[in-house]
Amino acid sequence: METTLRGVGVSHGVAIGEVRHMGTAVLEPPAKQIPAEEAEREQGRARQAVEAVAADLIARGNLAGGEAQHVLEAQAMMAQDPELMADVDRRIAVGSTAERGVYDAFAAYRALLANAGEYLAGRVADLDDVRNRIVARLLGVPMPGVPDSDEPYVLIARDLAPADTALLDPALVLGFVTEEGGPTSHSAILARALGVPAVVALPGAGELAEGTVIAVDGSTGEIFVEPSAEKRAEMESAAAARKAALSASSGPGTTSDGHKVPLLANVGGPGDVPAAVEAGAEGVGLFRTEFLFLDDSKQAPSEEKQVAAYRAVLEAFPEGRVVVRVLDAGADKPLDFLTPADEPNPALGVRGLRSLLDHPDVLRTQLTALSKAAQGLPVHLEVMAPMVADRADAKAFADACREAGLQAKFGAMVEIPSAALRARSILREVEFLSLGTNDLAQYTFAADRQVGAVSRLQDPWQPALLDLVALSAEAARAEGKSCGVCGEAASDPLLACVLTGLGVTSLSMGAASIPYVRATLAKYTLAQCERAASAARAADSAEEARVAAQGVLSGE
């Protein structure tokens, strides 16, 4: 009998197939004591296992490339963390085996991460995967992972580690469903990069029996268990129609009556550029520069290194628009040389622009590097600050840009409700706004974006969030300036139409989502988008808003 479950759709597309579960194993080693004379040997075993796992993660990253490479390199750094390894050595010195020392040291570090802000709490799954890989190597047992299968299947897991997600074969893994995770977890980000339909935060997913046929809608988050022949035909027909529309869609983003909505790409560095170009991105709406800084938490990258990375991205979009976010560090992405280590609530503390204003030399070097990278290029460079709270923040950033001699537009990200409420005031100091809907939702609803239990409050369809988007867009229109969206909301084709109707002037997303959004926008007029936006804002819940907008656009 067909039943319907609902999680959070994080990667577009439809997958229909039999369930296969991620391999699992108990990887907690026994707690036994070793003689003191064996400690040095056990410490050597632990170091060898750590280095082998780090090398394997880096090799997987090199194979995967793009966003996955950044993620796996970060995992390799986790494995080799000097403080973590020092703790392993201490535990072995007082009698633990290598595997137990690793297990207990990682458990202690895990507890710290879980309470250290939304970004780091979201990396717990990554840390668990690193621990499992090291312990499995020390125990001499296979690492749990993607099941072996000659036939295509839908993968079910508690959560997916980046090392597994990065190398999924889309020819075999039709889609995946996880019990945990959120729209901005690594598994969700990599699923979108791979173009694999995915649903996360589905309670009870692990209870689906092996071999059960399910249909996964990665756009709506719906899971149909043992779908009827009619439901399968309906979903397959919709998927075929969507594929045909994608193939026929090309060129700039526009509504059916010619209203232009530039479709831009979110990138983390030069490795993400080829996919963006192939998808037809009209530029970059969010260049996350923190990946450069996270390579070494002890010191900022040199000006020369920054210039080379920025120029590689700028050169890929001649005559295009490239919006660079200056370093967004603190709380969720702490850096030893920049952010405080003892804040009681880092997510609400010194992060983003606040960190940079406390360290003007770091900001000045980055702005100078951007200026040098753009020299002689026809690109339209725009630079924006993260976590702007008010006009004073916006003015301080604009002043820093001018003092660095930067020839570019200066903008502010709207991620804090105060910035949306006072958007017109902020626009007296800067030339554009960019809405980071992930953090804006988090701060609006006091709902950590990595926690599946509060995923309904992270839903970008929440009417309160749409109200804040509308306020920002109205302020920009009144000031004759632009207001884009660069959060995950832009990657939802239906929501992209609503955002356009709210007055948003550009949409930036992962490269894989651009064809979907382009094809959907081209089906509707601006007036239809505006009516859908009004209907969504009049609703009382995210689901009601989605249904109301869909009803308007489908003519119901």
Side-chain angles (χ1 to χ4, degrees):
M1 179 179 175
E2 179 181 310
T3 57
T4 304
L5 307 173
R6 182 181 289 279
V8 179
V10 296
S11 184
H12 305 302
V14 168
I16 302 175
E18 292 188 1
V19 163
R20 294 285 183 275
H21 286 270
M22 191 78 166
T24 58
V26 177
L27 289 178
E28 180 175 355
K32 64 180 183 180
Q33 291 292 107
I34 59 169
E37 60 268 22
E38 293 183 16
E40 187 174 346
R41 179 178 67 85
E42 290 295 288
Q43 289 169 340
R45 286 182 64 226
R47 282 191 292 272
Q48 288 175 2
V50 165
E51 291 304 320
V53 167
D56 177 62
L57 290 168
I58 290 171
R60 286 170 176 259
N62 290 337
L63 282 173
E67 185 92 43
Q69 185 169 8
H70 294 304
V71 173
L72 293 176
E73 287 175 351
Q75 270 198 294
M77 290 174 64
M78 273 186 178
Q80 297 170 305
D81 182 272
E83 292 185 14
L84 189 53
M85 285 310 301
D87 191 20
V88 171
D89 283 343
R90 283 193 296 270
R91 292 172 187 273
I92 295 173
V94 295
S96 288
T97 60
E99 45 267 40
R100 190 71 206 190
V102 167
Y103 186 89
D104 290 339
F106 271 74
Y109 196 38
R110 187 187 198 278
L112 290 174
L113 286 190
N115 296 300
E118 43 92 9
Y119 180 86
L120 289 180
R123 304 289 80 84
V124 164
D126 300 0
L127 186 70
D128 287 347
D129 179 58
V130 172
R131 178 204 62 206
N132 286 345
R133 290 175 186 279
I134 297 171
V135 172
R137 181 172 286 273
L138 287 166
L139 291 174
V141 300
M143 176 65 201
V146 177
D148 290 329
S149 176
D150 295 328
E151 298 296 325
Y153 59 90
V154 178
L155 180 63
I156 306 292
R158 182 180 62 81
D159 202 351
L160 279 173
D164 294 317
T165 315
L167 296 180
L168 289 179
D169 182 355
L172 281 177
V173 181
L174 302 173
F176 67 76
V177 179
T178 65
E179 290 195 51
E180 299 182 1
T184 56
S185 63
H186 275 156
S187 53
I189 292 169
L190 296 179
R192 287 189 285 272
L194 287 166
V196 177
V199 172
V200 301
L202 180 70
E207 298 172 13
L208 291 168
E210 190 87 358
T212 302
V213 175
I214 64 172
V216 178
D217 189 325
S219 299
T220 66
E222 291 175 305
I223 307 292
F224 301 95
V225 182
E226 298 291 1
S228 64
E230 291 78 12
K231 174 58 71 175
R232 293 179 67 155
E234 174 190 328
M235 294 184 73
E236 287 169 350
S237 175
R242 183 180 294 170
K243 185 175 181 179
L246 292 177
S247 300
S249 174
S250 62
T254 179
T255 59
S256 63
D257 56 341
H259 176 73
K260 293 182 178 179
V261 187
L263 302 181
L264 313 171
N266 295 342
V267 304
D272 296 332
V273 167
V277 173
E278 184 178 352
E282 297 169 61
V284 172
L286 174 61
F287 181 178
R288 304 183 184 95
T289 59
E290 58 266 22
F291 281 114
L292 268 175
F293 291 79
L294 292 172
D295 284 345
D296 184 353
S297 68
K298 304 296 183 185
Q299 61 181 0
S302 67
E303 182 181 301
E304 293 73 21
K305 182 177 180 179
Q306 291 188 56
V307 169
Y310 302 151
R311 193 170 181 90
V313 175
L314 296 174
E315 286 176 336
F317 296 95
E319 305 292 344
R321 177 187 179 200
V322 175
V323 184
V324 179
R325 179 177 69 191
V326 294
L327 176 61
D328 184 13
D332 52 355
K333 298 178 282 288
L335 296 170
D336 293 347
F337 66 89
L338 192 69
T339 50
D342 56 354
E343 289 185 304
N345 192 340
L348 302 180
V350 182
R351 60 170 300 192
L353 179 62
R354 299 167 189 175
S355 293
L356 292 174
L357 294 179
D358 280 353
H359 297 80
D361 54 324
V362 175
L363 177 58
R364 187 181 308 111
T365 299
Q366 184 169 25
L367 295 174
T368 301
L370 284 165
S371 180
K372 290 182 178 179
Q375 285 177 4
L377 297 179
V379 69
H380 300 287
L381 175 63
E382 302 184 13
V383 182
M384 61 185 181
M387 301 301 292
V388 170
D390 56 15
R391 183 173 180 173
D393 278 353
K395 183 179 188 304
F397 178 65
D399 287 346
C401 290
R402 282 188 283 267
E403 288 169 10
L406 188 62
Q407 299 298 307
K409 285 187 176 181
F410 317 141
M413 289 198 71
V414 177
E415 301 165 283
I416 303 173
S418 64
L421 294 168
R422 301 290 295 171
R424 194 160 185 180
S425 172
I426 287 172
L427 283 164
R428 304 280 165 76
E429 302 294 344
V430 295
E431 298 172 82
F432 69 93
L433 299 177
S434 183
L435 287 139
T437 53
N438 304 343
D439 267 324
L440 186 58
Q442 174 174 251
Y443 287 117
T444 299
F445 296 103
D448 191 322
R449 70 192 209 189
Q450 297 287 346
V451 177
V454 292
S455 60
R456 76 173 186 87
L457 298 173
Q458 302 154 0
D459 193 325
W461 281 94
Q462 285 284 356
L465 187 65
L466 299 181
D467 287 343
L468 293 176
V469 174
L471 280 175
S472 303
E474 288 163 8
R477 183 166 53 246
E479 293 294 321
K481 296 178 179 179
S482 63
C483 176
V485 167
C486 63
E488 293 303 319
S491 65
D492 179 335
L494 181 61
L495 186 51
C497 295
V498 168
L499 295 172
T500 298
L502 292 174
V504 166
T505 56
S506 66
L507 299 166
S508 189
M509 63 207 77
S513 298
I514 291 175
Y516 290 93
V517 173
R518 182 193 293 118
T520 304
L521 269 178
K523 293 164 57 177
Y524 306 109
T525 64
L526 177 59
Q528 286 176 298
C529 292
E530 290 171 341
R531 288 196 295 273
S534 295
R537 288 184 68 189
D540 291 320
S541 70
E543 180 57 27
E544 289 176 11
R546 185 184 289 107
V547 170
Q550 181 66 66
V552 169
L553 294 177
S554 62
E556 296 177 0

